[in-house]
Amino acid sequence: SSECLKKLMLKCKQSAARTGSEQSSDIGDPYKVLKYEEETTSIDDIPEDTLTEMLESLFSEWSKSNEINLGRKQSIFIDFLARLPHMMTKAFTPEKVRSSFIRNGMLDVESCFWPDLFGMIQTKRGEIKDSELDLIITNFPKLFALMQKLGNIPESVYDELGFPHFLFLGFRTNM
């Protein structure tokens, strides 16, 4: 169900502020490119603008029935919506998205399939103790398997393994 999917997505979400490591969307190019495209792309840059007329018709109907009335901002909103597919297509290419996940260690460079433990460690803000690094390296296979199976790692597992409460890497959620 969509409610189960929503809960699973929330479990998998890692907060950069809490993990102390860089998230792929924070260090990647897609959002930077999208911002650039939004600032520089006009409706005239789009080869076949098929959305503007359709959106104008829809918003006109909604305005007449008082469902949605954006007033003077309607044309700006329609312009943005008509440009959005073009901008998203340029910003979120598979290569750009993949490079974001490689940069923060969520994917390895060679196969783009496995996480790169040392790539993740390199994104950590602050210092990591040798004992913490050893704990991570020793337990990484178990943590990875649990993440694949459950979509999250229960706090009890961290406690059993002896992880401190303020360890990074996106594995510890109560930081």
Side-chain angles (χ1 to χ4, degrees), residues 31-120:
Y31 288 102
K32 295 172 193 166
V33 173
L34 182 60
K35 182 171 176 46
Y36 172 80
E37 289 295 328
E38 201 274 324
E39 293 170 353
T40 61
T41 303
S42 79
I43 202 69
D44 297 330
D45 296 325
I46 299 172
E48 290 186 36
D49 173 26
T50 56
L51 284 177
T52 300
E53 190 174 312
M54 181 183 74
L55 290 167
E56 285 172 345
S57 175
L58 280 172
F59 277 94
S60 177
E61 286 176 34
W62 292 335
S63 181
K64 287 176 188 170
S65 65
N66 288 325
E67 288 180 62
I68 296 176
N69 189 352
L70 299 175
R72 293 180 291 152
K73 294 180 182 179
Q74 182 170 308
S75 62
I76 296 168
F77 192 62
I78 289 172
D79 178 71
F80 175 75
L81 289 177
R83 293 180 299 127
L84 191 57
H86 177 79
M87 296 183 305
M88 295 288 281
T89 301
K90 286 184 125 183
F92 290 90
T93 63
E95 296 78 24
K96 288 182 178 99
V97 172
R98 192 178 305 113
S99 73
S100 301
F101 285 87
I102 290 171
R103 263 190 229 157
N104 80 339
M106 297 301 284
L107 293 175
D108 68 298
V109 176
E110 290 81 29
S111 70
C112 292
F113 183 77
W114 301 105
D116 178 358
L117 176 60
F118 294 102
M120 287 185 222

Side-chain angles (χ1 to χ4, degrees), residues 103-161:
R103 263 190 229 157
N104 80 339
M106 297 301 284
L107 293 175
D108 68 298
V109 176
E110 290 81 29
S111 70
C112 292
F113 183 77
W114 301 105
D116 178 358
L117 176 60
F118 294 102
M120 287 185 222
I121 290 170
Q122 290 174 2
T123 69
K124 185 199 184 295
R125 299 177 204 142
E127 194 176 323
I128 183 168
K129 297 175 188 171
D130 288 339
S131 61
E132 293 171 337
L133 184 58
D134 290 340
L135 191 60
I136 293 167
I137 292 170
T138 302
N139 292 292
F140 186 74
K142 181 177 184 169
L143 297 172
F144 179 71
L146 279 170
M147 185 58 108
Q148 277 191 308
K149 182 180 178 184
L150 304 175
N152 72 331
I153 300 168
E155 282 299 309
S156 59
V157 172
Y158 289 113
D159 293 334
E160 288 169 20
L161 297 174

Side-chain angles (χ1 to χ4, degrees), residues 13-28 103-104 117-129 132 136 166-170 175:
K13 171 70 179 110
Q14 303 295 329
S15 168
R18 291 170 62 122
T19 62
S21 62
E22 295 293 338
Q23 300 298 298
S24 53
S25 59
D26 295 337
I27 62 173
R103 263 190 229 157
N104 80 339
L117 176 60
F118 294 102
M120 287 185 222
I121 290 170
Q122 290 174 2
T123 69
K124 185 199 184 295
R125 299 177 204 142
E127 194 176 323
I128 183 168
K129 297 175 188 171
E132 293 171 337
I136 293 167
F166 294 103
L167 197 58
F168 72 105
L169 215 51
M175 299 190 186

